[in-house]
């Protein structure tokens, strides 16, 4: 038997690294296996974008029916997104970033993955962070 929290985290990561064209294909593929998924692009100065990143994760989750408009569900997305942000923020602090948030849910397990490219002159640094929560169905 597979560990659902691990599988959900892998799928959230896959959504975060997907292209826009791949997103729709992946949504259909994962829906057949009872996974709900979404992704949203993010960018800008990481320090100035924290509020926007949290907001985009929340709106995308609601819009794609991964969560209900309830305090516990919304708090889970915000908490998992903040966990992922903490993992990438040290490396990206003060820098301009571009990337994507991938979110996946199956049953009570929900994961948020943040994949970022950090612009440093002509070199790009890549960083990834992930957060997980369990919420009632």
């Amino acid at each position: 038997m597979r560990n659902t929290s691990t599988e959900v985290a892998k799928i959230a990561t896959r959504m975060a690294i997907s292209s826009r064209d791949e997103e729709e294909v992946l949504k259909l593929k994962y829906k057949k296996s009872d996974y709900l998924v979404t992704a949203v692009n993010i960018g800008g100065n990481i320090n100035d974008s924290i509020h926007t990143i949290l907001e985009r994760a929340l709106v995308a989750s609601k819009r794609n029916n991964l969560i209900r408009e309830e305090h516990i569900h919304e708090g889970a997305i915000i908490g998992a997104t903040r966990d992922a942000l903490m993992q990438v923020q040290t490396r990206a602090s003060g820098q301009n970033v571009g990337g994507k948030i991938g979110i996946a849910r199956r049953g009570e397990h929900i994961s948020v993955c943040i994949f970022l490219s950090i612009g440093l002159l002509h070199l790009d640094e890549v960083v990834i962070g992930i957060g997980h929560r369990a919420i009632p169905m």
Side-chain angles (χ1 to χ4, degrees):
M1 179 152 178
R2 292 184 191 177
N3 182 341
T4 305
S5 59
T6 304
E7 291 300 314
V8 169
K10 288 178 184 178
I11 291 170
T13 303
R14 180 68 186 101
M15 292 302 294
I17 63 174
S18 68
S19 69
R20 272 285 174 214
D21 294 333
E22 291 172 317
E23 266 182 53
E24 296 307 315
V25 173
L26 291 172
K27 281 183 183 181
L28 294 173
K29 172 187 172 184
Y30 291 130
K31 189 172 185 171
K32 291 177 185 175
S33 300
D34 295 326
Y35 289 92
L36 298 172
V37 297
T38 191
V40 61
N41 291 333
I42 54 175
N45 181 291
I46 191 74
N47 297 339
D48 299 333
S49 300
I50 292 172
H51 182 267
T52 304
I53 291 169
L54 294 170
E55 192 174 81
R56 286 191 180 197
L58 185 59
V59 168
S61 297
K62 287 180 185 179
R63 203 174 269 167
N64 289 278
N65 299 312
L66 274 77
I67 63 167
R68 294 189 300 266
E69 204 160 319
E70 294 178 13
H71 183 73
I72 287 178
H73 285 229
E74 292 173 354
I77 287 294
I78 295 298
T81 305
R82 286 182 60 84
D83 284 353
L85 270 169
M86 285 192 299
Q87 294 169 30
V88 301
Q89 199 167 11
T90 303
R91 301 244 325 259
S93 185
Q95 303 292 321
N96 284 324
V97 299
K100 202 174 208 180
I101 304 170
I103 306 169
R105 179 177 182 187
R106 183 170 192 210
E108 59 188 16
H109 297 280
I110 192 158
S111 286
V112 176
C113 179
I114 298 177
F115 178 77
L116 297 175
S117 175
I118 305 166
L120 298 169
L121 300 173
H122 62 283
L123 304 170
D124 281 334
E125 179 80 31
V126 177
V127 66
I128 193 166
I130 195 155
H132 173 267
R133 292 291 188 276
I135 55 176
M137 295 175 51

